[in-house]
Amino acid sequence: MATKTVELVISPREPHFVGDGFRVHNFIPGAYRLDMQRMNPVIMMDYNSKYYFAPSEIPKGVGVHPHRGFETVTIAYKGKVEHHDSSGGGGVIGEGDVQWMTAASGVLHKEFHEKEWSKKGGEFQMVQLWVNLPAKDKMSAPKYQSIENATMNRYTLENNQGEVEVIAGEYQGVKGRASTFTPLHLLNAKLKKGANARFNFPASFNTALLVIEGGIKVNGTEEAPADHFVLMANEGEEFSLEATEDAVVLVMSGEPINEPIAAHGPFVMNTRQELLQAFDDFNKGKFGYLQD
């Protein structure tokens, strides 16, 4: 079986704040050829690398804003976030949990540090992905999936060298709980120093890694330290990860949605006309109501 090689190892860009509660490095869309199509169906990635937030009586975060045409996936590594949206979805995501919001035809939502966590403060580390929807599903009904860490399916590596949490898709026959509109694998590889894990995805799938903790070596040669993004080439199927120290790696691989992308702000559609319609519908209150 042919090896899937590393195309680029990308350092984190300068961070910026989204609202006052998320200090993020933006990897997708970004420099180095990473436009919205390159990792499609993952069309946006904000990474809140480990950052200390001081205690605050007023939770920090992002106020009410709309989305249409895609899904937001928030993976919590440290800290807690509270979410509410106009379709009735919401709850608290704690360490290790995942929140999967399908905006589709349109929702308003808000995200803040969880109230009690905010009062204490602490280290905060999260990933938010935007997952594209095919044209036929962009105007489907919104939905919400809450995936608690304790309920995730896992694959244990040989000799107790670590485990792979399966959020979506599958790994070695273990399937994730998240339902997806198109084929997408989202995995957390938690590897002890010296551990080696093998992965296998179709050559045509867009595949990348984000090193959350520690450091790794890909295919025994390419090194990637913490907070770096590894873009895999669209060739070959199989690659290996070796942990050069205890490591946590987010592994993403999905079948491209080969359709036009028209994006502006919080809306991702297929045509400019659909974008204008989204703004018009939002201004007319068609995304529901959510109190600030």
Side-chain angles (χ1 to χ4, degrees):
M1 187 169 287
T3 300
K4 188 181 284 293
T5 58
V6 172
E7 184 173 321
L8 288 167
V9 177
I10 302 171
S11 304
R13 305 166 79 188
E14 280 296 308
H16 64 276
F17 269 86
V18 176
D20 62 0
F22 304 93
R23 176 188 173 271
V24 302
H25 307 278
N26 176 246
F27 281 107
I28 306 170
Y32 314 105
R33 289 169 272 168
L34 272 175
D35 61 9
M36 278 188 160
Q37 287 286 17
R38 179 60 186 86
M39 269 302 294
N40 193 1
V42 177
I43 52 174
M44 195 283 292
M45 173 193 269
D46 274 346
Y47 172 45
N48 191 129
S49 60
K50 209 177 290 178
Y51 183 78
Y52 176 78
F53 280 96
S56 174
E57 286 295 315
I58 301 171
K60 299 180 187 301
V62 183
V64 175
H65 59 285
H67 287 305
R68 173 180 279 181
F70 61 96
E71 305 178 286
T72 67
V73 180
T74 306
I75 306 167
Y77 293 96
K78 292 189 178 296
K80 290 184 177 181
V81 169
E82 199 162 337
H83 163 92
H84 298 281
D85 69 51
S86 57
S87 72
V92 174
I93 56 167
E95 293 193 7
D97 297 347
V98 174
Q99 163 197 286
W100 199 299
M101 183 189 79
T102 304
S105 61
V107 295
L108 305 176
H109 84 137
K110 57 182 179 179
E111 297 167 292
F112 286 90
H113 296 173
E114 190 269 331
K115 195 172 180 180
E116 294 307 313
W117 186 90
S118 181
K119 287 178 182 176
K120 296 174 186 173
E123 282 196 330
F124 192 83
Q125 189 178 25
M126 303 252 165
V127 168
Q128 185 170 89
L129 307 173
W130 287 11
V131 176
N132 199 12
L133 291 174
K136 66 181 180 62
D137 297 312
K138 282 189 181 289
M139 293 299 288
S140 59
K143 67 175 185 175
Y144 184 83
Q145 300 175 77
S146 177
I147 305 167
E148 293 183 4
N149 190 264
T151 68
M152 278 183 198
N153 295 324
R154 295 165 163 80
Y155 178 86
T156 303
L157 299 175
E158 287 181 10
N159 303 320
N160 201 28
Q161 287 193 307
E163 64 179 18
V164 177
E165 294 175 348
V166 187
I167 300 167
E170 68 174 280
Y171 180 75
Q172 304 287 22
V174 177
K175 296 192 174 177
R177 287 187 52 221
S179 69
T180 64
F181 286 80
T182 59
L184 174 64
H185 303 277
L186 268 187
L187 317 167
N188 269 322
K190 298 185 171 180
L191 310 175
K192 294 179 181 175
K193 182 179 178 179
N196 198 300
R198 302 197 71 80
F199 297 85
N200 191 320
F201 304 114
S204 61
F205 277 31
N206 290 328
T207 303
L209 319 167
L210 178 66
V211 185
I212 305 291
E213 297 277 356
I216 58 168
K217 199 178 275 189
V218 185
N219 294 331
T221 54
E222 300 275 356
E223 294 202 18
D227 302 337
H228 282 58
F229 182 95
V230 182
L231 180 67
M232 305 299 290
N234 290 99
E235 58 184 21
E237 298 85 29
E238 195 171 76
F239 64 94
S240 66
L241 299 185
E242 180 191 339
T244 53
E245 52 188 307
D246 288 357
V248 177
V249 184
L250 177 62
V251 180
M252 301 158 277
S253 186
E255 182 177 63
I257 299 171
N258 292 317
E259 297 174 347
I261 291 177
H264 191 91
F267 307 132
V268 182
M269 305 303 290
N270 298 104
T271 68
R272 184 171 180 274
Q273 186 55 44
E274 289 169 342
L275 277 183
L276 293 173
Q277 187 66 54
F279 279 101
D280 191 50
D281 289 349
F282 168 63
N283 290 330
K284 287 178 176 171
K286 292 184 178 179
F287 283 47
Y289 176 77
L290 190 64
Q291 191 169 353
D292 238 324

